[in-house]
Amino acid sequence: MIFEYAPAPESREVVDIRPSYGLFINGEFVDGSGTPFKTVNPASEETLAEVATATEADVDRAVQAARKAFGVWSALPGSERAKYLFRIARIIQERARELAVLESLDNGKPIKESRDVDLPLVAAHFFYYAGWADKLQYAGYGTTPLGVAGQVIPWNFPLLMLAWKIAPALACGNTVVLKPAETTPLTALLFAEICQQADLPPGVVNIVTGAGDTGAAVVGHPDVDKVAFTGSTEVGRLIARAVAGTTKKVTLELGGKAANIVFDDAAIDQAVEGIVTGIFFNQGHVCCAGSRLLVQESVAEELLSSLKRRLSTLRLGDPLDKNTDIGAINSAAQLAKIRELSEAGEAEGASRWSPACALPEKGFWFPPTVFTGVSQSHRIAREEIFGPVLSVLTFRTPAEAVEKANNTPYGLSAGVWTEKASRMLWMANRLRAGVVWSNTFNKFDPTSPFGGYKESGYGREGGRHGLEAYLKEIS
Ligand code: NAI
Ligand code: MG
C-alpha cells in the first residue's frame, strides 16, 4: 500500500495582517517620517505588509515618550508593575496561536517551532520576570532602574528576543524603545497591540521599525541610559564604539560557532537527535547553534551514517504545515551568505552532503547540509554560517576536543555527549562558553542565564543574572 503525503496546514486566517503599520509611540500607532518598507513571507516571497521607517526625529519622539513614562512607571510599586507583566503574559498565552502563525509567516520558521518553542518561552519570560518585579531587593543588584532602555533585536527569534529584552527591563522599572529587525517586524507590532490591550501606561513600551539607520538612532540617542543588542558581531562592534565614552550601560549578545562534542560512550541515537536539534532547529538561524560537530574518531563512521539516515527523514517546506521540520531561510541576503560559505567549504576541500530534498520553487530555501573532512582552518569551521549547515571534525582525546572546541573567536555555547558525569564536569570546566549543555542541546529556560565569552558578547540575559543589566545600586 502506498501512502500519499497529506499536508496538515495551520490556518493563516487566525491572524489579521493590516496592509500597513505605523510606529508605536506613547501608546498609539503613528506615522513614520521615513520611506516605508515591505516585509515579506520568505516561504513565498509574498508581501505581507508595508511598515513605517522611523527616522532620527521619530526615534527622538519615542525616547521622549519613554522618558516621560519612566517617571510614572518607576514610581509604581513592584507589585503593581508585576500585575501588568502578568497580564501581558496571560494575553500572550491567549493569543499564542495568532502570534505563532504571524511569526511563521514573517520569519519562515516551522509552525511547530513557533507554536511549541517560541511562544511558550515568550510567555514564560514575562511570567518569570513578573515574579521578580516586587522582589528586586533579594536579587543583589540594587533596586534602582536605569531609565530608558534602547533595544535592538534580530530576526531569528523575533518575539522571543523581544521578550528577553522587554520583560526584565520593565520588571526593574525601566521603559523601552525597541527596534525589531527589518525582515520580521510584525510580531513586535502585534505585541504593541497587546500592550494596549493590557492597558500598559503609554510610553512604557515604544516600538520603532526600520533598518540599521533606525537602530543606530536608538543606540546613539543621548537620552538612552541602557543599550541592549542581539545580532551580528560586526554591528555589535559598531555599537560598542558608539557608546564608548558615554555613561550608557551595554549588553551585547552576538555570534557563535558552538561545538557539539560526542564521545564514544555516548548514546548514539540520542546524540543524533541532539545534533539535529543543535544545527537544524530554526534552519540553523541560532546564535548558539551546534554548528561544529566534534565526534570521537572511533564512533565517527557509525554516528555519521545514523545522522545521514535521520536527516533523510526531515521534511522541508511550507512553514505553516504542522509536519514541517525545516522552514524557509529568513531572507535572500541570508541565503546568499549561506550559499557563499558553503561554496567556500567545497572550494577548500571539504566534502558536502545533503539528503535528497526537493526545494519549493518560490521563496528562500537551503537543504540540510553536512560537511565532512573539515579542518580547523576552513572558513566553514571558523565563521558563523547561521544556516542549516553542519561542519564535522573528529578528535581522539578529551584534551584534543577541548582544544578544538575553544579554537574559535566565539564562546556562546557547547554541548557534550558522554555517559560519564566526571568527564562531563571535566569538559564543562574547560570549555570557554557561556552555556554548556549536557546530553542535550538548544534547551532554553527563563530561569537560566544566557550569554557569551569573547566575541560572542558580554552580559547575561535570563535568570536572576539578567536583572543586573537593568538595575543600579545608588550610593
Ligand atoms: P545585524 O546585526 O545587521 O542585524 C541585527 C539588528 O541590528 C537588526 O535589527 C538591524 O536592523 C540592526 N542594525 C543593523 N545595523 C545597525 C547599526 N549600525 N546600529 C544599530 N542597529 C543596527 O545582522 P544581519 O545583517 O541581519 O545578519 C548578519 C549575520 O549576523 C547573520 O548571518 C548571523 O551570522 C549574525 N546574526 C546573529 C544573530 C544572533 O542571534 N546573535 C542574529 C542575527 C544575525
Ligand atoms: Mg518577513
Side-chain angles (χ1 to χ4, degrees):
M1 193 162 155
I2 296 169
F3 291 96
E4 297 262 312
Y5 177 66
E10 169 59 290
S11 167
R12 66 171 289 171
E13 305 308 316
V14 299
V15 58
D16 285 324
I17 303 180
R18 293 191 235 149
S20 65
Y21 288 85
L23 312 171
F24 184 65
I25 297 179
N26 205 30
E28 293 173 10
F29 284 95
V30 298
D31 290 340
S33 320
T35 312
F37 63 97
K38 292 182 167 68
T39 185
V40 303
N41 175 349
S44 64
E45 295 173 64
E46 145 213 22
T47 296
L48 295 168
E50 205 168 78
V51 181
T53 292
T55 59
E56 223 168 286
D58 298 323
V59 169
D60 183 50
R61 268 194 296 164
V63 173
Q64 283 183 36
R67 175 61 57 193
K68 194 155 153 268
F70 177 63
V72 179
W73 185 247
S74 61
L76 285 180
S79 55
E80 286 302 309
R81 290 199 304 270
K83 285 184 193 167
Y84 287 103
L85 290 172
F86 279 123
R87 202 181 289 163
I88 289 171
R90 284 194 304 268
I91 299 173
I92 287 169
Q93 287 185 318
E94 283 161 17
R95 301 181 68 173
R97 187 171 172 208
E98 198 181 334
L99 287 161
V101 170
L102 189 58
E103 195 78 307
S104 282
L105 284 171
D106 205 13
N107 167 282
K109 65 175 70 202
I111 188 72
K112 77 173 178 195
E113 291 181 8
S114 48
R115 181 194 62 199
D116 300 343
V117 182
D118 297 53
L119 261 297
L121 281 170
V122 169
H125 253 84
F126 278 97
F127 278 116
Y128 176 76
Y129 281 109
W132 271 115
D134 63 350
K135 302 173 195 70
L136 298 175
Q137 67 269 33
Y138 306 111
Y141 303 117
T143 55
T144 310
L146 304 174
V148 176
Q151 309 178 318
V152 177
I153 56 171
W155 42 264
N156 52 341
F157 294 94
L159 198 58
L160 185 58
M161 290 302 104
L162 174 149
W164 281 27
K165 299 283 180 282
I166 291 184
L170 263 47
C172 294
N174 304 275
T175 55
V176 311
V177 176
L178 175 130
K179 192 200 84 67
E182 55 272 37
T183 57
T184 54
L186 296 182
T187 46
L189 294 163
L190 185 49
F191 178 82
E193 285 178 33
I194 290 174
C195 293
Q196 289 178 325
Q197 195 184 342
D199 272 331
L200 191 71
V204 172
V205 167
N206 304 275
I207 309 278
V208 290
T209 43
D213 288 347
T214 306
V218 170
V219 168
H221 195 289
D223 203 29
V224 160
D225 302 289
K226 150 83 193 169
V227 170
F229 173 74
T230 298
S232 62
T233 296
E234 185 193 355
V235 173
R237 278 201 194 97
L238 290 176
I239 291 176
R241 219 169 282 150
V243 301
T246 72
T247 54
K248 291 176 192 177
K249 234 176 146 170
V250 194
T251 42
L252 299 174
E253 202 267 272
L254 309 174
K257 192 74 190 176
N260 206 353
I261 306 164
V262 182
F263 284 96
D264 59 5
D265 65 333
I268 294 294
D269 287 349
Q270 275 165 258
V272 165
E273 289 308 307
I275 293 161
V276 173
T277 307
I279 185 64
F280 301 111
F281 171 62
N282 202 30
Q283 294 73 245
H285 301 328
V286 184
C287 46
C288 52
S291 51
R292 289 182 298 150
L293 171 63
L294 299 187
V295 54
Q296 199 156 18
E297 212 171 77
S298 46
V299 287
E301 206 172 309
E302 180 191 352
L303 181 103
L304 281 172
S305 79
S306 295
L307 179 65
K308 288 180 178 176
R309 203 177 325 119
R310 178 68 179 93
L311 293 182
S312 306
T313 68
L314 293 180
R315 188 169 285 283
L316 176 148
D318 180 8
L320 285 192
D321 189 328
K322 292 165 190 161
N323 294 319
T324 293
D325 300 301
I326 311 249
I329 299 302
N330 180 249
S331 65
Q334 188 57 33
L335 180 58
K337 177 181 166 183
I338 298 168
R339 284 191 177 141
E340 194 266 322
L341 274 162
S342 300
E343 279 155 24
E346 278 180 292
E348 287 181 317
S351 342
R352 177 175 180 165
W353 178 90
S354 289
C357 171
L359 302 184
E361 269 167 32
K362 287 219 118 168
F364 315 127
W365 306 93
F366 200 86
T369 297
V370 176
F371 277 101
T372 49
V374 178
S375 72
Q376 292 276 78
S377 60
H378 288 166
R379 283 182 66 199
I380 51 169
R382 289 185 288 115
E383 295 178 32
E384 183 175 51
I385 301 175
F386 225 62
V389 180
L390 179 68
S391 299
V392 183
L393 297 100
T394 57
F395 67 91
R396 290 184 186 175
T397 64
E400 189 186 346
V402 169
E403 178 71 32
K404 286 188 166 164
N406 288 341
N407 185 0
T408 165
Y410 297 110
L412 201 49
S413 64
V416 181
W417 299 80
T418 174
E419 225 163 50
K420 286 198 189 70
S422 57
R423 177 181 286 159
M424 187 68 76
L425 289 171
W426 190 90
M427 292 293 291
N429 284 328
R430 285 161 181 78
L431 291 168
R432 298 281 294 160
V435 179
V436 179
W437 282 294
S438 153
N439 290 324
T440 186
F441 209 94
N442 273 343
K443 273 256 187 301
F444 304 98
D445 191 284
T447 63
S448 173
F450 182 91
Y453 281 80
K454 301 192 277 186
E455 288 186 19
S456 291
Y458 40 81
R460 292 291 178 266
E461 294 184 283
R464 181 181 64 84
H465 301 74
L467 297 165
E468 185 178 13
Y470 291 97
L471 289 170
K472 62 182 171 192
E473 313 251 11
I474 34 173
S475 44

mmCIF file of all heavy atoms in Angstrom, residues 310-331:
data_model
loop_
_atom_site.group_PDB
_atom_site.id
_atom_site.type_symbol
_atom_site.label_atom_id
_atom_site.label_comp_id
_atom_site.label_asym_id
_atom_site.label_seq_id
_atom_site.Cartn_x
_atom_site.Cartn_y
_atom_site.Cartn_z
ATOM 1 N N ARG A 310 18.948 9.851 9.543
ATOM 2 C CA ARG A 310 17.958 10.707 10.227
ATOM 3 C C ARG A 310 17.649 11.955 9.397
ATOM 4 O O ARG A 310 16.489 12.373 9.284
ATOM 5 C CB ARG A 310 18.507 11.097 11.607
ATOM 6 C CG ARG A 310 17.615 12.014 12.408
ATOM 7 C CD ARG A 310 16.331 11.319 12.849
ATOM 8 N NE ARG A 310 15.494 12.224 13.635
ATOM 9 C CZ ARG A 310 14.530 12.985 13.128
ATOM 10 N NH1 ARG A 310 14.260 12.928 11.845
ATOM 11 N NH2 ARG A 310 13.831 13.783 13.900
ATOM 12 N N LEU A 311 18.670 12.531 8.802
ATOM 13 C CA LEU A 311 18.454 13.766 8.029
ATOM 14 C C LEU A 311 17.590 13.499 6.801
ATOM 15 O O LEU A 311 16.871 14.385 6.333
ATOM 16 C CB LEU A 311 19.790 14.393 7.607
ATOM 17 C CG LEU A 311 20.641 14.946 8.760
ATOM 18 C CD1 LEU A 311 21.912 15.581 8.219
ATOM 19 C CD2 LEU A 311 19.853 15.956 9.585
ATOM 20 N N SER A 312 17.662 12.261 6.302
ATOM 21 C CA SER A 312 16.845 11.927 5.134
ATOM 22 C C SER A 312 15.362 11.898 5.467
ATOM 23 O O SER A 312 14.524 11.875 4.574
ATOM 24 C CB SER A 312 17.259 10.566 4.572
ATOM 25 O OG SER A 312 18.643 10.577 4.322
ATOM 26 N N THR A 313 15.011 11.878 6.763
ATOM 27 C CA THR A 313 13.595 11.855 7.142
ATOM 28 C C THR A 313 13.052 13.256 7.426
ATOM 29 O O THR A 313 11.864 13.406 7.687
ATOM 30 C CB THR A 313 13.357 11.001 8.405
ATOM 31 O OG1 THR A 313 13.958 11.668 9.523
ATOM 32 C CG2 THR A 313 13.940 9.613 8.265
ATOM 33 N N LEU A 314 13.903 14.275 7.421
ATOM 34 C CA LEU A 314 13.415 15.619 7.740
ATOM 35 C C LEU A 314 12.571 16.140 6.590
ATOM 36 O O LEU A 314 12.885 15.931 5.416
ATOM 37 C CB LEU A 314 14.587 16.579 7.993
ATOM 38 C CG LEU A 314 15.434 16.328 9.238
ATOM 39 C CD1 LEU A 314 16.533 17.376 9.331
ATOM 40 C CD2 LEU A 314 14.584 16.327 10.499
ATOM 41 N N ARG A 315 11.497 16.833 6.939
ATOM 42 C CA ARG A 315 10.599 17.358 5.933
ATOM 43 C C ARG A 315 10.819 18.863 5.802
ATOM 44 O O ARG A 315 10.704 19.592 6.785
ATOM 45 C CB ARG A 315 9.164 17.064 6.369
ATOM 46 C CG ARG A 315 8.113 17.370 5.357
ATOM 47 C CD ARG A 315 6.789 16.780 5.796
ATOM 48 N NE ARG A 315 6.748 15.337 5.617
ATOM 49 C CZ ARG A 315 6.563 14.746 4.442
ATOM 50 N NH1 ARG A 315 6.405 15.460 3.344
ATOM 51 N NH2 ARG A 315 6.524 13.442 4.356
ATOM 52 N N LEU A 316 11.171 19.295 4.600
ATOM 53 C CA LEU A 316 11.406 20.718 4.350
ATOM 54 C C LEU A 316 10.258 21.282 3.531
ATOM 55 O O LEU A 316 9.809 20.635 2.591
ATOM 56 C CB LEU A 316 12.743 20.879 3.609
ATOM 57 C CG LEU A 316 13.172 22.270 3.150
ATOM 58 C CD1 LEU A 316 14.694 22.399 3.178
ATOM 59 C CD2 LEU A 316 12.659 22.596 1.752
ATOM 60 N N GLY A 317 9.758 22.440 3.893
ATOM 61 C CA GLY A 317 8.693 23.031 3.082
ATOM 62 C C GLY A 317 7.858 24.027 3.859
ATOM 63 O O GLY A 317 8.362 24.660 4.795
ATOM 64 N N ASP A 318 6.596 24.124 3.473
ATOM 65 C CA ASP A 318 5.667 25.126 3.999
ATOM 66 C C ASP A 318 5.773 25.278 5.522
ATOM 67 O O ASP A 318 5.431 24.353 6.260
ATOM 68 C CB ASP A 318 4.237 24.709 3.620
ATOM 69 C CG ASP A 318 3.196 25.709 4.135
ATOM 70 O OD1 ASP A 318 3.593 26.785 4.634
ATOM 71 O OD2 ASP A 318 1.990 25.399 4.037
ATOM 72 N N PRO A 319 6.204 26.431 5.997
ATOM 73 C CA PRO A 319 6.342 26.612 7.446
ATOM 74 C C PRO A 319 5.025 26.434 8.202
ATOM 75 O O PRO A 319 5.046 26.066 9.378
ATOM 76 C CB PRO A 319 6.845 28.051 7.585
ATOM 77 C CG PRO A 319 7.508 28.349 6.282
ATOM 78 C CD PRO A 319 6.731 27.586 5.249
ATOM 79 N N LEU A 320 3.890 26.666 7.538
ATOM 80 C CA LEU A 320 2.619 26.526 8.245
ATOM 81 C C LEU A 320 2.123 25.079 8.296
ATOM 82 O O LEU A 320 1.151 24.778 8.969
ATOM 83 C CB LEU A 320 1.547 27.424 7.631
ATOM 84 C CG LEU A 320 1.664 28.918 7.939
ATOM 85 C CD1 LEU A 320 0.400 29.638 7.522
ATOM 86 C CD2 LEU A 320 1.950 29.198 9.400
ATOM 87 N N ASP A 321 2.795 24.172 7.592
ATOM 88 C CA ASP A 321 2.431 22.759 7.686
ATOM 89 C C ASP A 321 2.958 22.218 9.022
ATOM 90 O O ASP A 321 4.150 22.335 9.329
ATOM 91 C CB ASP A 321 3.051 21.979 6.511
ATOM 92 C CG ASP A 321 2.534 20.538 6.442
ATOM 93 O OD1 ASP A 321 2.238 19.956 7.505
ATOM 94 O OD2 ASP A 321 2.451 20.005 5.325
ATOM 95 N N LYS A 322 2.064 21.603 9.788
ATOM 96 C CA LYS A 322 2.452 21.154 11.139
ATOM 97 C C LYS A 322 3.500 20.052 11.117
ATOM 98 O O LYS A 322 4.107 19.749 12.143
ATOM 99 C CB LYS A 322 1.205 20.689 11.902
ATOM 100 C CG LYS A 322 0.251 21.829 12.218
ATOM 101 C CD LYS A 322 -1.105 21.308 12.636
ATOM 102 C CE LYS A 322 -2.105 22.455 12.708
ATOM 103 N NZ LYS A 322 -3.490 21.942 12.663
ATOM 104 N N ASN A 323 3.717 19.421 9.979
ATOM 105 C CA ASN A 323 4.736 18.375 9.898
ATOM 106 C C ASN A 323 6.103 18.890 9.466
ATOM 107 O O ASN A 323 7.060 18.125 9.412
ATOM 108 C CB ASN A 323 4.304 17.304 8.888
ATOM 109 C CG ASN A 323 3.084 16.552 9.360
ATOM 110 O OD1 ASN A 323 2.977 16.227 10.529
ATOM 111 N ND2 ASN A 323 2.153 16.313 8.460
ATOM 112 N N THR A 324 6.184 20.157 9.124
ATOM 113 C CA THR A 324 7.440 20.674 8.588
ATOM 114 C C THR A 324 8.520 20.752 9.665
ATOM 115 O O THR A 324 8.282 21.245 10.767
ATOM 116 C CB THR A 324 7.205 22.060 7.951
ATOM 117 O OG1 THR A 324 6.381 21.869 6.803
ATOM 118 C CG2 THR A 324 8.506 22.731 7.551
ATOM 119 N N ASP A 325 9.709 20.231 9.323
ATOM 120 C CA ASP A 325 10.853 20.303 10.232
ATOM 121 C C ASP A 325 11.759 21.473 9.887
ATOM 122 O O ASP A 325 12.391 22.057 10.749
ATOM 123 C CB ASP A 325 11.691 19.023 10.128
ATOM 124 C CG ASP A 325 10.895 17.781 10.498
ATOM 125 O OD1 ASP A 325 10.406 17.731 11.639
ATOM 126 O OD2 ASP A 325 10.745 16.887 9.635
ATOM 127 N N ILE A 326 11.909 21.747 8.590
ATOM 128 C CA ILE A 326 12.813 22.801 8.151
ATOM 129 C C ILE A 326 12.011 23.793 7.318
ATOM 130 O O ILE A 326 11.426 23.425 6.300
ATOM 131 C CB ILE A 326 13.952 22.234 7.270
ATOM 132 C CG1 ILE A 326 14.592 21.026 7.951
ATOM 133 C CG2 ILE A 326 14.948 23.330 6.911
ATOM 134 C CD1 ILE A 326 15.957 21.176 8.443
ATOM 135 N N GLY A 327 11.990 25.031 7.748
ATOM 136 C CA GLY A 327 11.246 26.057 7.047
ATOM 137 C C GLY A 327 12.124 26.831 6.086
ATOM 138 O O GLY A 327 13.143 26.315 5.588
ATOM 139 N N ALA A 328 11.715 28.082 5.836
ATOM 140 C CA ALA A 328 12.430 28.907 4.861
ATOM 141 C C ALA A 328 13.569 29.673 5.531
ATOM 142 O O ALA A 328 13.519 29.978 6.719
ATOM 143 C CB ALA A 328 11.456 29.888 4.221
ATOM 144 N N ILE A 329 14.580 29.982 4.720
ATOM 145 C CA ILE A 329 15.658 30.878 5.151
ATOM 146 C C ILE A 329 15.054 32.280 5.223
ATOM 147 O O ILE A 329 14.255 32.665 4.360
ATOM 148 C CB ILE A 329 16.817 30.815 4.128
ATOM 149 C CG1 ILE A 329 17.379 29.382 4.037
ATOM 150 C CG2 ILE A 329 17.908 31.836 4.440
ATOM 151 C CD1 ILE A 329 17.895 28.794 5.331
ATOM 152 N N ASN A 330 15.427 33.060 6.241
ATOM 153 C CA ASN A 330 14.686 34.289 6.503
ATOM 154 C C ASN A 330 14.736 35.337 5.401
ATOM 155 O O ASN A 330 13.783 36.087 5.218
ATOM 156 C CB ASN A 330 15.119 34.903 7.837
ATOM 157 C CG ASN A 330 14.378 36.180 8.137
ATOM 158 O OD1 ASN A 330 14.944 37.265 8.121
ATOM 159 N ND2 ASN A 330 13.075 36.069 8.365
ATOM 160 N N SER A 331 15.820 35.424 4.661
ATOM 161 C CA SER A 331 15.891 36.486 3.649
ATOM 162 C C SER A 331 16.812 36.061 2.514
ATOM 163 O O SER A 331 17.631 35.146 2.667
ATOM 164 C CB SER A 331 16.435 37.771 4.273
ATOM 165 O OG SER A 331 17.778 37.565 4.681
#
